[in-house]
Amino acid sequence: MSSVATVLPQGAGYGVVVGIGLFFSALMIGISYVQGRYTAFKPSNSEEFSSASRSVKPGLIAAGIVSAWTWAATLLQSSAVAYEYGISGPWWYASGATVQVLLFAMLAAKLKMNAPNAHTWLEIVGVRWGTAAHLILMFFGLATNIIVSSMLILGGSATVTALTGMNTLAACFLIPVGVAIYVVVGGMRSTLICDYTHTTVLFAIIFTFLFTVYATSPKIGSISKMHELLTAAAITNPVSGNAGGSYLTMRSLNGLIFGVINIIGNFATVFNDQAYWQRAIASRPETTVKAYLLGGIAWFSIPFGLATTLGLAAVALKGDPDMGILSPAAVSAGLPAPTAAAALLGQSGAAAMLVLLFLAVTSATSAELIAVSSILTYDVYKRYVNPLATEVQILNMGHYMVAFFALVMGFCGLIFFYIGVSMGWLYLFMGTFLGSAVVPIALCITWSKANKWGCVTGAVGGLVLGVMSWLVATAKLNDNVINVVTSGGNYPMLTGNLVAIAVGGIIAVVWSLLAPENFDFDITRAINKPVLVGASEGLEKEESIEEKKKTGESEHKTVPVDEEHAYESAHKTGITSAAELNLAGLKQAFRFAAWSSLVLTIILVIIIPLSLFGSSVVYGVSGFGAWVVIGFIWAFLAAFIVVLYPLWESRAGIIMVGKGIVKDMFKPGSGKYVDPEEDAVPA
Ligand SMILES: NC(N)=O
């Protein structure tokens, strides 16, 4: 696939894949033990396993979002588009995949308003629209998980193989299996804590590359040297469609086309993916919006900073004796970044890249595993196989499904590898296959007038027409030759992506306007809602909801009425009580999410890139310097948000656990968490 020489021994590949997997499994066991012993949250509770008792603070949720959204592609494909299109590639990659996370803040607020106790977004679809819509949209949800997971495995295994010579087949299976072990042990909360540690190390390595390339490397080492090398590279290899053939301009036609494909594809992989809904579900209701806005802003810096560093370095170092030659297939597999890292820092650069990539892949894999496990547990097993499943059965099923999907991930990665489909190809294709469901899903959860058949027809029709238009465009542009190479071109992919999302959206919206439903979201608010024993008003409301809702999907848990202890009850049952749910506050949060995410979206994908595209400027040293400095500042801001802020917000919990451990050290058993209510009841 590539002529990149393996810089590290095979043992390093196995060491990282197996060693780090085992290290995090051990860490997870430790965290779960500490959590169970010193806090109110017990990992043996099914709500805690899948939704962290809906109690996680915004900094940790933001770190979890960054971690789930940092794929192999975030590091590799962003650098590949920098390598191909110059500075516009990192901008389009970063902005074109940030805006969805920002906009998702609105959906997260609506989820908390309309179905605060759902486990999955599909539960809402099932309760609102019944079995047919549930199964059809589940197809899109699971297809998203499979495509994202395959990209993770393909990107991870391609890099491990390129850098160490490790067997690709072994990498395809060892990566997800190692992660599955620690997800099963820890569940959602420990996964978020692990995400936090991953993200911290990830930023440390990204800063190492930033400073190496722009400050210390003897090969580049400064902004002006990078500028000089990129200018020289454009003379020998001008970029087709770029102003002056330069790498130093936002006027890049192919960069712009990639930008549009990127925006559409990433809408699909955020809105259709349970992993992002799951973080909203795990979040405290009052801080969900904040978490998504912070997560999106922080995430931007990862692809932007790394691709502006390693992707451009791969161009600048072309012809350097340490720089491997990159074939088109190697670029599609995402290898410019690892190749540049090895050229800049030799074995330590390759090792740092390997660890960076492995951490990104494992944390995103953990998000996918727990997401699919939740869908298979709640939307397949509980809904269709065993509606009366006990707590233990649900928890066990959650564990089995994590292991099952780890194997599915390995097989999918392997199948795509053998048929020659790379991570880069899948990245461009994801919007064509998944984009049609974006608007229907968003409408189902947010809009009472959304029409069931309009949304279902939009999703299916958009898929069919998206795939057909993509194939027709491929045939027309390539003398009727349709294969992996021709179908992966920018124009066919752009056609398929645009048709899929537009057809899905237009059918769903127009049909809903012509035949609006008048759905009462009290019905979805009743999903998994606690029955307030002794509260007659609450019971009456509950009964009226039951009358409205004829399908019987909702289940009810009984908790005592005591609004003062609502939060503690939530900790024990993992459900959000009415006392905790401040609808007025959530409406205000939704309004804030709407205007702030829309303003940021317009700035990031319209005002900045299109005005720079229109100006056709090729940057001089100072302009390029400003661009790079913005990347540095953004990366520092991001590290503050996802590394320091979670520690600060959790200081009380960390002190509580610390005190428990110290007490245990002096008097074994005395530091254990004691439930205040149990404590009050005489034995
Ligand atoms: N998560 C992405 N699109 O890198």
Side-chain angles (χ1 to χ4, degrees), residues 69-71 73-74 93 97 266 299 427 430:
W69 198 223
T70 303
W71 302 343
T74 311
Y93 192 102
N266 285 305
W299 183 85
Y427 191 84
M430 60 195 187

